[in-house]
Amino acid sequence: MPYRGLLDRYGSLLNLPAHTRPVTLLEGNTPLIPAENLSRHLGGGFDLFVKFEGLNPTGSFKDRGMTAAVSEALGRGAKTVICASTGNTAASAAAYASRAGLKSIVLIPQGKVAAGKLAGAIAYGAQVVQIDGSFDDALTMVVQISDKHPICLVNSINPYRIEGQKTAAFEICDTLGRAPDWLCLPVGNAGNITAYWAGFKQYDELNATGLPQILGVQAAGAAPLVLGHPVENPETVATAIRIGKPARGEQALEAAEQSKGRIIAVSDDEILSMQALLARLEGIWVEPASAAGLAGLAHEIAAGNFHPAGKRITAICTGHGLKDPDIIIKGMTKPQIVAPNLAALEAVLLV
Ligand code: AN7
């Protein structure tokens, strides 16, 4: 059977209204990549898999929820969708809206969106509005305007986004034959952790696949769920999760508690070190936020808070490294320039 996208494959398990009209870019079906080199580097003795969500059509996991939310909006007769975004939601909303023939409007925090995301939103034809404020300000504004005008909100407050994102948990269980022992993932606005937990619970009820313990990871400068209060001016190199008031914060805490997991914070240095390690040891290049789940795992192992022996661990890498080229370019030494002849090349390579 050819692959026809997530609503085709898992639609019967998703709580979507009958009027839903599928809009798909054949999202999902992402690889669960064994990461033996990284597992060994972290001490070994456990199975580590990376669910590489950066391989979705617009380069992030947001496409799972967006196929559901835009399909519902189209079926309902919506003409315009809107979202606030740190970048990935914007690009995804813009792509799916265009495919559905809808207009998209995206609000982004000024100057804090990675180049590949902003370029994507523009390429897919969104009306992009920069807010002189944070993601949290932008989210408040899109909630207000969609309450007042016939514009469909496609942030993860929209329940169909969560329905679509549950499919990642289904895929992991289908591939492994059961849920992993631990699931590690970054947490920003907390839609994804909410969706994974709902998805694993649903699959366990249907197929007895078991439940993972969930390790949610925030950036230390944007860690409201660890601190226990909103963060007024969140700051982190991982701009995707530069969020101070997560819309689904309560549900994230519930997922951590019910799964006997936890939510922790890691520093920007830990995030960037893990981004580099994953690329160099495994050939998997992810954007900084996407390395947070693995950075959290490394942090917990190093601190002795977590004993991975014999465990099966899955880390969710939410977005592709190509989304944020600047973070690499800023830190690199400029490649050498060599005269266009063999002797010059030998002189630099064979010293
Ligand atoms: C790569 O695009 O919030 O906890 O507006 O882009 O479900 O918010 C992005 C979030 C993790 C956090 N990794 O997921 C947006 C946005 C990447 C992300 C998250 C985001 P949630």
Side-chain angles (χ1 to χ4, degrees), residues 135-136 222 224 229-232 234 241-246:
F135 166 84
D136 305 289
H229 58 77
V231 174
E232 232 15 84
I241 51 173
R242 187 175 169 274
I243 295 173
K245 274 182 239 146

Side-chain angles (χ1 to χ4, degrees), residues 61-62 84-90 117 135 165 186-192 240-241 243 287 289-290 318-319:
F61 73 99
K62 303 288 183 181
S85 181
T86 57
N88 279 325
T89 302
K117 304 176 188 181
F135 166 84
Q165 285 174 212
V187 177
N189 212 24
N192 212 27
I241 51 173
I243 295 173
E287 65 166 285
S290 301
T318 43

Side-chain angles (χ1 to χ4, degrees), residues 54 88 186 238 240-241 271 278 286-294 316-321:
N88 279 325
I241 51 173
I271 289 173
L278 185 59
V286 304
E287 65 166 285
S290 301
L294 281 166
I316 310 304
C317 286
T318 43
H320 203 287

Side-chain angles (χ1 to χ4, degrees), residues 269-334:
D269 281 351
E270 289 176 291
I271 289 173
L272 293 179
S273 304
M274 183 52 73
Q275 182 194 31
L277 208 54
L278 185 59
R280 287 164 202 192
L281 290 181
E282 300 289 1
I284 301 172
W285 181 30
V286 304
E287 65 166 285
S290 301
L294 281 166
L297 176 67
H299 179 104
E300 290 297 89
I301 292 174
N305 295 336
F306 181 69
H307 303 287
K311 296 281 193 297
R312 194 180 269 187
I313 302 171
T314 294
I316 310 304
C317 286
T318 43
H320 203 287
L322 287 166
K323 291 276 190 169
D324 192 357
D326 297 340
I327 199 80
I328 305 296
I329 291 165
K330 254 187 243 157
M332 78 181 189
T333 40
K334 213 172 145 218

